[in-house]
Amino acid sequence: MRIAEILRRKGSEVATVPPDTTVRSLLATLAEHNIGAVVVSPDGMRIAGIVSERDVVRRLHELGADLLDTPVADIMTVEVRTCVPDDHVDSLRRIMTDHRIRHLPVVRDDVLIGIVSIGDVVKSAISELATERQHLVDYLQGRY
């Protein structure tokens, strides 16, 4: 399965925040959308970074409550791994596992067009297994 199929099923909406957004506002966005990370973007199309709940927790330990008024640009990951719609889910699974990444923005011609989470990858694997299982059952029962 390709990343394009995951986006077709889940949609391509991506929550973004500008780099000067405060961590307090970021937390509101995460809660509002019930998500674990957002893409940091000055215009909703170009990627400046990515920031997750984990980034907030780690910095909260260092800075305490002062972190809430800090811009996300100060805590975001700037070297963002991305994928393209034609990438295979299997390769994405390896990248996410090897680099301990839970969210990967999807780009086309350096423009943000979606985001894939580890949950999306797991869901696609379960779907593929269910389809394969059904094909095997149909084969064994002579339905082919």
Side-chain angles (χ1 to χ4, degrees):
M1 180 182 294
R2 296 188 189 275
I3 300 307
E5 180 60 27
I6 290 178
L7 291 181
R8 208 173 359 267
R9 292 179 182 180
K10 75 172 254 182
S12 58
E13 182 179 337
V14 182
T16 63
V17 295
D20 60 348
T21 300
T22 64
V23 171
R24 183 183 314 272
S25 181
L26 164 72
L27 292 173
T29 299
L30 293 173
E32 176 186 338
H33 296 284
N34 193 29
I35 55 176
V38 298
V39 174
V40 181
S41 173
D43 57 9
M45 295 172 30
R46 292 176 290 133
I47 299 172
I50 191 166
V51 64
S52 69
E53 297 165 325
R54 187 175 283 178
D55 295 321
V56 173
V57 170
R58 287 184 177 143
R59 295 305 296 270
L60 187 59
H61 175 71
E62 297 170 16
L63 300 176
D66 291 341
L67 176 68
L68 296 174
D69 297 318
T70 302
V72 295
D74 291 356
I75 68 166
M76 70 184 182
T77 300
V78 293
E79 291 184 27
V80 181
R81 293 188 181 275
T82 61
C83 62
V84 296
D86 287 336
D87 285 341
H88 287 274
V89 174
D90 291 340
S91 66
L92 201 64
R93 189 178 310 125
R94 268 191 304 282
I95 290 168
M96 290 176 141
T97 301
D98 292 347
H99 299 283
R100 301 182 62 130
I101 299 170
R102 295 179 180 207
H103 301 86
L104 272 174
V106 183
V107 296
R108 180 181 293 126
D109 299 324
D110 294 324
V111 174
L112 179 66
I113 63 164
I115 192 163
V116 177
S117 72
I118 191 71
D120 298 325
V121 171
V122 169
K123 186 176 180 180
S124 74
I126 291 169
S127 176
E128 283 184 30
L129 289 172
T131 300
E132 288 176 20
R133 178 189 175 279
Q134 189 57 53
H135 284 251
L136 288 171
V137 167
D138 289 346
Y139 176 75
L140 291 173
Q141 293 178 350
R143 294 186 189 153
Y144 281 110

